[in-house]
Amino acid sequence: MIRSIVRGVGCALPRRSMKNSEFEAIVDTSDEWITQRTGIRERRIADADETTASLGEAAARAALDNAGLTPADIDLIVLATSTPNNTFPATAVEIQERLGMRHGFAFDMQAVCSGFVYAVTTTDLYLRGGQAKRALVIGSETFSRILDWTDRGTCVLFGDGAGAVVLEASEGQGAIADRGILAASLRSDGVHKEKLFVDGGPSTTGTVGHLRMEGREVFKHAVAMITDVIEDVFRQAGITAEELDWFVPHQANRRIIDASAKKLGIAEEKVVVTVDRHGNTSAASVPLALTAAVTDGRIRKGDLVLLEAMGGGFTWGAVLLRW
Ligand code: UT7
């Protein structure tokens, strides 16, 4: 059977870092509150010349370099983003053009913070269905552009950045020992759509709008939703938490990450955490964390890796793969 294996990873971050203390001059907050409640210490904020497309392109090029491939080897680009350069065309086609690709196809995927997990799962189906051979799956966001910088409940939480992986169709045995994507589980429930949303859009206000969130409400649901899809992929693959090598969760809040790992029985030392450096970068958070753990040598060939995310919609999902 065909498995989608990861050939390379890469990321790109805006030049400018913004520390918690810098928010003290903007809203009624403190470094202490942000650190204690979220685990965030700094985040990157895009300058005017840094966009979802430019960051996505840079992450894609880094992933291609890591894989020893060029754009000519790619026939599909799936970009997970909620902050596209324009309402249309898809920012994925802009990245395709920036990479000099005149072949293949590209599209955006919108599942907010779960976007990368949705995009990896979707791309896996394209590769296994024979529609493409090698794909770039990118998560790229510039959430700083849709933040209400007067709302202390949200502006301190998010950051900008991009991460990417190259997925390749490869022959597997259909066994748990195979490299590649082994199981996936996606969920959504629109009943929660007003707990985390943007208050504008082309078909309603004709404006881009700003991010609105009932943080406590999101927090309340997060751990149960995350553990639900993770238990589903464990069941599908017939494995337990002890067999896992690395847990790469969505980086929204250190407390959510710790509580989920604890509930699932995943040891602390197997959890990849970057929320302290990046804040919540929505669809970019999982590939950014993944790239960090691959680059520093933690994730190695043959390791069993679990990806997870939860966000606006609500949407949530998990992917289990062997590196
Ligand atoms: O990626 C998509 C998923 N998103 C998330 O996972 C976010 C989930 N939610 C969270 O991470 C947390 O709910 C927050 C970090 C947003 C908030 O933490 P919390 O422990 O749930 O705090 P809270 O909302 O219950 O607020 C506690 C207090 C409130 O004051 P009162 O009402 O107790 O007087 C807030 O007004 O903290 C206040 N507060 C702040 N204080 C200082 C809220 N934001 C700030 C702030 N600085 N930036």
Side-chain angles (χ1 to χ4, degrees), residues 54-72:
S54 74
L55 294 167
E57 178 202 357
R61 288 192 186 277
L64 287 170
D65 278 354
N66 184 245
L69 297 170
T70 71

Side-chain angles (χ1 to χ4, degrees), residues 142-159:
T142 44
F143 261 51
S144 63
R145 307 260 156 80
I146 55 163
L147 293 176
D148 175 351
W149 287 87
T150 65
D151 174 17
R152 68 175 182 173
T154 53
C155 73
V156 303
L157 303 174
F158 294 89

